[in-house]
Structures are given as C-alpha cells and as structure tokens.
Amino acid sequence: SKIPDFFGGVLTSVSAMIQLNVAFVNVMTKIDLLTSEEKYDLEKFLDADTQELVEHRDVEILNKKYAKLTRQISSLLDDYKLVRYLPLDCNDEDTLNEVLHSVDTVLQYDEDRDHKC
C-alpha cells in the first residue's frame, strides 16, 4: 500500500520543518509521468485527510501496538494541517503557477515593495 509510504514522507517533512525552523513548500514532482488513473489516486494524498487514510480498508497495521500511535499522529496532522503537497507537472502551466505562487507567498516576495496604482 502507498499509505504507509505517504505517512513516512509526511513525518519526514514535519521533522525537517521542526529541525530547520523555516517555511516549507512540499512539492510532489514528476506528476507528468503518471497515468490518468494514478493521477486520480494521487488526489487523496495531495491535501490528505489522514484520518480517512488510517481507517482505509486496504491499510493493514503490521503491529497492533502502533495502531493508537498512528491514529494520534494522524489526528495531529489533520488538526493543524501541518503538511500539504503541491503537484508539479512540467507540462501543465497551472501547476507551475501554483507552485510559484506558493513559494512567493512563503518567501513573502513582493510584500515590501511600493506598489504604484
């Protein structure tokens, strides 16, 4: 299942955000290499409801003693919306603009400039 890999990626991202104490933009690249079916499946991971992923019927928790911990981590991620992924398809100008806008927002680019009306 891809769900445990997703949680591993999310926890790695959260760990880096905490350790480095800087703003992050998480970009999921190479979307252009996916089939249309894989792109449809990807949607559930981009702005994920982790509680729903944990309760998904395809997820088998290998060790029952971690089930409660997994649910608690999932709840924390959902409550604070700590991680969000942006898709990047080099063939789709909309995704490029979305990533660029997010990076500009995080860096507060153009915020201090004097605007002429």
Side-chain angles (χ1 to χ4, degrees):
S1 175
K2 297 173 186 158
I3 295 173
D5 294 336
F6 171 75
F7 273 101
V10 168
L11 292 176
T12 300
S13 181
V14 169
S15 175
M17 289 175 4
I18 291 169
Q19 293 293 320
L20 298 174
N21 197 24
V22 294
F24 267 71
V25 176
N26 296 298
V27 180
M28 197 171 288
T29 62
K30 301 191 182 199
I31 302 299
D32 53 303
L33 301 178
L34 300 177
T35 65
S36 58
E37 183 179 313
E38 290 170 327
K39 286 181 183 180
Y40 177 77
D41 288 342
L42 179 69
E43 288 298 319
K44 68 182 173 189
F45 294 107
L46 292 177
D47 196 13
D49 177 2
T50 57
Q51 288 289 335
E52 183 179 315
L53 293 176
V54 167
E55 302 302 328
H56 196 271
R57 62 182 165 79
D58 292 339
V59 176
E60 294 178 19
I61 298 175
L62 298 175
N63 192 334
K64 297 291 184 189
K65 74 178 185 179
Y66 296 121
K68 186 175 179 182
L69 175 63
T70 303
R71 285 190 201 91
Q72 292 299 319
I73 290 171
S74 171
S75 177
L76 180 71
L77 292 171
D78 278 346
D79 289 347
Y80 293 98
K81 292 293 182 194
L82 295 174
V83 178
R84 177 175 169 252
Y85 289 95
L86 297 174
L88 179 60
D89 181 343
C90 65
N91 299 320
D92 182 0
E93 191 174 331
D94 290 338
T95 65
L96 292 168
N97 286 332
E98 183 178 349
V99 169
L100 180 62
H101 180 266
S102 294
V103 169
D104 286 347
T105 301
V106 166
L107 295 176
Q108 298 176 346
Y109 178 77
D110 208 29
E111 224 175 67
D112 293 328
R113 291 181 60 187
D114 292 331
H115 296 282
K116 297 178 182 177
C117 296

